[in-house]
Amino acid sequence: MKQYYGENQGDMGYGVGTETGYEQQMRYGEEAGYQTEYAQQMEYQMEYGQQIRIENPNKEEFMNKKEKKKEKEMQPQCYMSVSNMTTWNYNVYYMLKKEKILYFLLAFVVGGFVGYVFFGGLFKDEFYSSTTKTYISNIIVVFIFGILFGKIYLPMRTEQLKEKKKRILKLQFRDMLESLTTSLNAGSNTIDAFQNVYEDLKVQYGEEADIVYEISVILSGIRDNHTIEEMLKDFGWRSGVDDIISFSQVFEVCYRKGVNIKDIVRNVHNILSDKMRISEDIETQITAAKNENNIMIVMPVILIAMIKSMSPDFASNFASTSGVISTLVSLGLFVLSYIVGRKLMEIKI
């Protein structure tokens, strides 16, 4: 059975194959001349699944899609490698409890402030003085917007941290290819070249760097009689980075066919460097537009706060029914324009 570490368990990951619990139960039951209760339950489930496929194929397709979606959502953060080393799954990121609390509190404070600026001060009397209803409504608004911002921001921040980890890994992978090219040009064979790369990157990044650890996993797998292309392919699958996946696939084909590995590694390094340089140039060109988009979403909050603090009479217009509705619509349009602007500026190479 494939093994991995994580909050959930399933058949994802990799490792030394063993019998599953069901296979063991069936084998022991057959040897003893009877079936265990567990084996009987599994057979009933298999028969029920076959009946579903026969009677309602559309339902089976729906169930398969649902199971695949659940499996994707339940991917573990770490796997157990074939050499019994813990390896990262870069396709997901799970925050620590302290991270969740910190980011939720940050989003709660910001959301509560925004909610108070736009919808605070309701139910004032004719003299524009706060009443009990005003204080209660302010507390409710702060809590509603704070919790809403916290719920929205946590998944966004998780995705940002995951992409940041991938981006750093991609930069480190480029340096790995550069070091690998140098070592191969110096006359080292492929295995010794990876060993030299490990020593070089350990000096450059330190032992805690992701790429250094990944190379140590590759070398450990090679010592356990696993092929280098198998280890690279596993690294590419776990990384979720297209360039690493492509390199592992090209390396696997060329290594088996006896193609010059030095030229392959050098070409991949040059292509990856060009892509990163183009991405950096594009990022530089759109930096001003990103800053304008960020300012656009912040300015309404500042303007409304200034208006309400400087002119209580004019601020009373925001507390009316039409004022609340207009504020909601305007706020929704600003948020929508911000999201569209961010999507338009996400240019991938």
Side-chain angles (χ1 to χ4, degrees):
M1 176 164 44
K2 299 178 180 179
Q3 303 175 359
Y4 63 82
Y5 287 139
E7 296 179 356
N8 304 290
Q9 295 186 357
D11 60 350
M12 299 180 60
Y14 54 91
V16 180
T18 59
E19 287 186 317
T20 63
Y22 170 63
E23 292 170 347
Q24 290 177 353
Q25 292 277 5
M26 289 295 293
R27 179 169 59 84
Y28 296 153
E30 291 174 358
E31 291 176 356
Y34 63 91
Q35 286 186 325
T36 62
E37 181 181 355
Y38 176 77
Q40 291 176 355
Q41 291 176 357
M42 293 301 295
E43 283 193 351
Y44 293 154
Q45 291 178 9
M46 292 172 64
E47 291 176 0
Y48 177 70
Q50 292 176 356
Q51 185 178 359
I52 289 177
R53 285 192 291 271
I54 295 173
E55 296 178 355
N56 196 344
N58 293 329
K59 185 176 181 180
E60 182 210 1
E61 183 179 356
F62 173 76
M63 292 176 64
N64 289 337
K65 289 181 179 180
K66 188 174 181 180
E67 289 176 358
K68 288 181 180 179
K69 183 178 180 181
K70 184 178 180 181
E71 181 178 322
K72 184 177 180 181
E73 293 176 350
M74 295 171 58
Q75 289 187 49
Q77 183 68 77
C78 299
Y79 293 106
M80 178 64 74
S81 72
V82 293
S83 55
N84 293 326
M85 294 181 66
T86 304
T87 54
W88 285 105
N89 178 16
Y90 299 90
N91 295 296
V92 295
Y93 185 89
Y94 297 118
M95 289 187 182
L96 299 175
K97 185 177 292 187
K98 61 180 181 181
E99 286 182 306
K100 289 182 179 180
I101 295 174
L102 176 63
Y103 289 125
F104 184 84
L105 289 177
L106 178 63
F108 184 89
V109 172
V110 174
F113 175 75
V114 172
Y116 178 77
V117 168
F118 282 100
F119 301 101
L122 302 178
F123 306 112
K124 289 186 177 181
D125 58 20
E126 63 273 13
F127 302 106
Y128 307 115
S129 299
S130 299
T131 62
T132 304
K133 291 183 179 180
T134 303
Y135 295 120
I136 295 175
S137 66
N138 288 343
I139 295 174
I140 293 175
V141 165
V142 168
F143 269 89
I144 290 176
F145 274 82
I147 294 174
L148 181 63
F149 271 54
K151 292 289 186 181
I152 295 175
Y153 182 68
L154 280 182
M156 292 176 57
R157 185 55 181 166
T158 302
E159 188 68 20
Q160 290 174 355
L161 293 174
K162 184 187 75 174
E163 293 300 326
K164 179 181 178 181
K165 194 174 183 67
K166 281 189 176 183
R167 186 169 60 252
I168 294 174
L169 180 66
K170 190 175 180 179
L171 293 171
Q172 294 175 350
F173 179 73
R174 181 189 61 179
D175 294 336
M176 185 206 82
L177 292 179
E178 183 178 0
S179 178
L180 185 61
T181 302
T182 303
S183 184
L184 290 172
N185 289 333
S188 301
N189 59 44
T190 306
I191 306 301
D192 292 338
F194 271 91
Q195 184 64 48
N196 295 333
V197 169
Y198 173 76
E199 298 297 334
D200 293 341
L201 295 183
K202 186 167 65 172
V203 174
Q204 182 177 354
Y205 290 111
E207 295 185 359
E208 300 299 325
D210 291 331
I211 192 64
V212 176
Y213 187 77
E214 291 295 341
I215 296 175
S216 68
V217 172
I218 293 173
L219 293 175
S220 177
I222 294 172
R223 288 192 292 268
D224 288 346
N225 297 323
H226 292 275
T227 61
I228 187 172
E229 57 266 32
E230 178 187 354
M231 301 304 297
L232 282 173
K233 193 173 182 180
D234 172 74
F235 172 41
W237 171 74
R238 288 185 292 101
S239 69
V241 178
D242 293 337
D243 294 311
I244 301 179
I245 295 173
S246 299
F247 173 75
S248 64
Q249 294 172 346
V250 173
F251 186 92
E252 181 183 16
V253 175
C254 296
Y255 195 73
R256 290 179 179 179
K257 299 293 183 180
V259 182
N260 192 342
I261 296 298
K262 292 188 293 184
D263 295 337
I264 298 299
V265 174
R266 183 173 63 252
N267 291 336
V268 173
H269 173 261
N270 293 335
I271 293 172
L272 185 58
S273 298
D274 291 340
K275 288 178 64 177
M276 288 185 176
R277 185 175 65 254
I278 294 172
S279 298
E280 290 172 358
D281 293 340
I282 294 175
E283 187 69 22
T284 302
Q285 294 293 330
I286 65 176
T287 298
K290 284 187 175 181
N291 292 334
E292 292 174 359
N293 196 36
N294 294 331
I295 293 173
M296 182 189 70
I297 199 67
V298 174
M299 283 303 297
V301 181
I302 298 175
L303 290 175
I304 297 299
M306 292 176 60
I307 290 173
K308 285 191 172 183
S309 61
M310 296 174 62
S311 178
D313 295 340
F314 186 77
S316 62
N317 295 322
F318 291 94
S320 63
T321 303
S322 60
V324 172
I325 295 174
S326 301
T327 303
L328 278 172
V329 173
S330 302
L331 189 61
L333 291 175
F334 273 109
V335 172
L336 179 62
S337 63
Y338 175 80
I339 294 174
V340 172
R342 296 293 296 182
K343 290 293 183 181
L344 292 175
M345 287 182 284
E346 288 180 1
I347 302 175
K348 296 184 179 181
I349 304 298

